[in-house]
Amino acid sequence: MIRDTFKGRRGIQTYVWIYCMVLTVLILITIWLCQYVFLYNYYQSAKISSISHEADRIITAYGTPDEEIVNRTVAYENNMCIIITDSEGNPVVRENNLGSFSKLNNDIENNYSMYIYEIKSELQKSGNVNYTTTFSNKDPDVKEMIYCQKIYKDDTPSQAYLFIECTVEPMDSTVSIIREQLIYITIILFELAFIVTVFITMRVSRPIVQITKTAKRFGEGDFNVKFEGEGYKEAEELALVLNDAKNELRKVSDLRKDLIANISHDLRTPLTMVKAYAEMIRDLSGDNPVKRAEHVQVIIDEADRLSNLVNNLLDLSKLESGNMELNLQKFSIVDKLNDCMTRYQLVIEQNGYDMKYEADDDREVTADPDKLDQVIYNFLNNAINYTNDDKVIRLKQINMDKKVRIEVSDNGKGIAKDMLPKVFDRYYRDAKVKRDVVGTGLGLAICKEILKCHGFAFGVRSEEGKGTTFWFEIPCK
Ligand code: ATP
Ligand code: MG
């Protein structure tokens, strides 16, 4: 089914191959263009720039004692004919390394410097600092270049002109060698592109294929799979995220199983009791008013326990589905906590609890008062249920900067460190606690949802054998 959906779609391998080929072709086009179209121009401008560099050397030395040696060296190193004329065009310096083939030298000797005048006037016409011309020397058959530049020097009496003649090396043989090489380069590049494609594809797609295989097994309900994405960062991150998601899903699945088991257990126990006591009244105590009242009371207590469980479950599902609307009101925190304490007056008197409210200055807070009651009652009920025999319980109000902190502490046996992060989880219960003390295991989960919905910070700290403190903080002005 899934396979059919992807029929006709290209895989990673095809895409990588296409991109590699496109890149290769682009590289080759660039190289071929450079070789065929731009090579001669490039060579010429490189030549001009190297001549102008030599010209600078000559000009710097012009008029100094080094002049002669510099001219000779430059002419010798570069196979040049160097001529410097005065502003009129009469040669004042002549350094010829081209022998009788030099056009400039011949021009001076046979032609009264006609050609030199011509070039000089071209330079003046162009208005540039220098002027270059190329021509084919018939004898011998080579290409040559003549470079001309005006010499400005403050310490020389008048202006002068520098002429440099040199051969432009024939490039045809070089070009044909390079072009032959280009064919090999093209073949090698295509082969390399193919190998790189296979390599990249293997590296990129292998972890994805592996993760897909694992995901299929996971989709079939196997929670024991492990996603592995070795090779590169993205695949490793993907595997990590999938492993986290899998663990979360496993938790939810385990929780659902536990929840159903716990709820059915909690429903069955009171129902069994109700049935047993109802039968007892029918068969034995129906005529005995004292016994009957006692048995009816058990039935009422168990029914209360049942309705408590059902209410808690309803509350929690409403809170968790995000259907809770907060009825926010402003009220005095001291009044609220005093009200809560009044509700516990009977319990304190009858059962001898040492339960006290340690108040601070009054502050006005904004919250949903009924929901806040629920949180405080849950914390206090837990403290009552889990405190030790001296029955000490404290409700503390601590005013802080821009917030009020409410703490409920007991000095019971505390909660083990590794269990602390779980106490706010739905249906978490310490297995060692006796059933008659414990309620539904949903109290703290409800508190967590209410506090989260308000956006209040909350938490718990506990030391085994010393006691536990649950707290939350209400922001205020
Ligand atoms: P109910 O839904 O009736 O409140 P419950 O008290 O068992 O049932 P929670 O209030 O959610 O459920 O508490 C979860 C568990 O956390 C308790 O069963 C208990 O093991 C542990 N616990 C909570 N408060 C305390 C406390 N003050 N001291 C020690 N353990 C506590
Ligand atoms: Mg509780």
Side-chain angles (χ1 to χ4, degrees):
M1 181 64 195
I2 293 175
R3 288 216 160 275
D4 287 349
T5 324
F6 295 110
K7 233 182 204 165
R9 299 293 299 273
R10 288 194 191 106
I12 274 189
Q13 187 156 9
T14 322
Y15 278 111
V16 173
W17 197 81
I18 292 173
Y19 291 138
C20 270
M21 283 303 138
V22 170
L23 184 67
T24 314
V25 170
L26 284 179
I27 291 174
L28 286 172
I29 290 177
T30 319
I31 297 178
W32 282 82
L33 270 181
C34 286
Q35 294 306 328
Y36 272 87
V37 185
F38 306 123
L39 185 62
Y40 187 75
N41 292 344
Y42 176 77
Y43 173 72
Q44 201 170 1
S45 65
K47 186 85 195 172
I48 292 173
S49 109
S50 104
I51 296 176
S52 92
H53 177 74
E54 297 301 341
D56 285 345
R57 267 174 82 187
I58 296 167
I59 292 168
T60 316
Y62 180 61
T64 68
D66 291 342
E67 179 181 11
E68 204 179 323
I69 183 82
V70 169
N71 290 351
R72 191 165 303 153
T73 316
V74 172
Y76 176 75
E77 279 174 358
N78 302 288
N79 241 357
M80 288 171 168
C81 170
I82 299 167
I83 288 174
I84 298 177
T85 68
D86 58 16
S87 57
E88 302 303 317
N90 304 314
V92 288
V93 171
R94 196 176 343 165
E95 196 61 60
N96 179 19
N97 237 52
L98 295 177
S100 58
F101 296 126
S102 167
K103 183 163 181 170
L104 292 181
N105 201 45
N106 293 345
D107 186 49
I108 294 169
E109 300 215 329
N110 311 327
N111 227 353
Y112 307 108
S113 302
M114 290 300 282
Y115 190 53
I116 287 178
Y117 284 121
E118 215 176 278
I119 296 172
K120 203 181 89 177
S121 65
E122 287 296 333
L123 171 66
Q124 273 157 353
K125 247 195 270 168
S126 76
N128 294 332
V129 183
N130 56 43
Y131 171 79
T132 315
T133 176
T134 51
F135 62 93
S136 287
N137 200 342
K138 295 272 168 335
D139 186 24
D141 189 15
V142 286
K143 257 199 165 155
E144 285 197 0
M145 186 180 271
I146 290 181
Y147 174 95
C148 168
Q149 186 174 341
K150 210 172 193 176
I151 305 178
Y152 295 97
K153 273 217 148 177
D154 302 336
D155 48 355
T156 49
S158 59
Q159 278 177 8
Y161 289 87
L162 166 68
F163 296 84
I164 297 177
E165 177 184 359
C166 65
T167 55
V168 179
E169 283 91 19
M171 292 211 316
D172 295 351
S173 66
T174 323
V175 166
S176 77
I177 290 171
I178 291 176
R179 283 180 190 163
E180 208 181 296
Q181 264 187 354
L182 257 187
I183 295 170
Y184 292 116
I185 291 176
T186 308
I187 296 168
I188 291 170
L189 264 183
F190 271 113
E191 277 172 4
L192 271 181
F194 181 75
I195 294 168
V196 168
T197 306
V198 172
F199 180 73
I200 294 181
T201 315
M202 256 165 47
R203 230 184 133 77
V204 171
S205 69
R206 198 191 289 143
I208 296 179
V209 171
Q210 208 177 353
I211 288 174
T212 313
K213 259 191 214 159
T214 317
K216 263 184 208 150
R217 273 172 48 214
F218 179 49
E220 284 158 8
D222 182 358
F223 282 103
N224 292 321
V225 294
K226 185 162 185 274
F227 290 98
E228 271 163 304
E230 281 149 32
Y232 50 99
K233 198 177 101 195
E234 285 79 2
E236 278 164 23
E237 266 173 11
L238 177 64
L240 204 74
V241 170
L242 285 172
N243 277 326
D244 285 351
K246 180 202 73 186
N247 291 340
E248 284 306 308
L249 275 177
R250 191 214 296 252
K251 257 196 237 162
V252 171
S253 159
D254 289 352
L255 205 72
R256 205 196 52 207
K257 279 186 213 148
D258 284 359
L259 201 67
I260 292 172
N262 287 336
I263 292 173
S264 23
H265 174 264
D266 264 20
L267 286 175
R268 211 174 37 220
T269 321
L271 282 175
T272 317
M273 302 272 272
V274 168
K275 188 170 177 237
Y277 277 83
E279 279 172 355
M280 255 203 279
I281 295 168
R282 184 192 65 196
D283 299 337
L284 302 169
S285 58
D287 298 331
N288 181 342
V290 181
K291 280 261 180 241
R292 189 181 59 211
E294 213 176 277
H295 293 168
V296 168
Q297 191 54 48
V298 175
I299 294 178
I300 293 171
D301 286 349
E302 290 302 317
D304 280 347
R305 195 197 279 269
L306 267 180
S307 83
N308 195 18
L309 173 67
V310 173
N311 284 340
N312 274 352
L313 277 173
L314 282 178
D315 269 359
L316 191 62
S317 77
K318 237 192 273 170
L319 290 170
E320 286 187 343
S321 62
N323 284 338
M324 177 179 51
E325 273 183 24
L326 291 180
N327 172 24
L328 292 179
Q329 285 175 22
K330 285 187 176 163
F331 53 85
S332 137
I333 189 69
V334 170
D335 288 353
K336 168 102 300 184
L337 296 177
N338 275 326
D339 281 354
C340 291
M341 288 303 288
T342 324
R343 219 180 117 135
Y344 282 92
Q345 217 45 53
L346 201 68
V347 187
I348 296 172
E349 279 165 18
Q350 282 184 351
N351 299 308
Y353 282 98
D354 173 11
M355 189 166 173
K356 284 200 188 96
Y357 166 36
E358 295 176 7
D360 204 332
D361 292 338
D362 197 9
R363 291 247 175 120
E364 191 180 58
V365 296
T366 308
D368 183 326
D370 295 335
K371 298 273 181 334
L372 209 66
D373 277 350
Q374 233 175 321
V375 174
I376 298 167
Y377 292 148
N378 263 307
F379 284 179
L380 286 173
N381 282 344
N382 281 350
I384 289 175
N385 284 336
Y386 307 112
T387 192
N388 71 2
D389 292 339
D390 63 11
K391 300 184 171 176
V392 175
I393 293 157
R394 290 284 173 270
L395 171 63
K396 281 186 210 159
Q397 174 204 346
I398 304 161
N399 290 351
M400 300 167 97
D401 183 29
K402 293 195 177 153
K403 59 190 178 192
V404 180
R405 189 182 170 104
I406 312 293
E407 290 191 352
V408 176
S409 332
D410 62 69
N411 55 356
K413 69 180 182 61
I415 305 169
K417 223 183 194 133
D418 52 333
M419 289 303 172
L420 267 184
K422 293 192 190 157
V423 286
F424 284 100
D425 283 359
R426 196 159 16 121
Y427 244 98
Y428 165 76
R429 266 204 240 163
D430 189 341
K432 285 171 253 159
V433 178
K434 283 182 282 160
R435 181 183 176 273
D436 54 332
V437 189
V438 195
T440 61
L442 298 172
L444 288 178
I446 293 175
C447 294
K448 173 173 137 184
E449 290 303 323
I450 293 175
L451 293 170
K452 249 168 59 183
C453 195
H454 276 87
F456 295 169
F458 62 93
V460 54
R461 56 172 195 272
S462 182
E463 216 176 307
E464 272 190 287
K466 288 207 170 154
T468 308
T469 301
F470 282 92
W471 59 266
F472 63 92
E473 289 169 351
I474 314 176
C476 62
K477 280 176 198 151

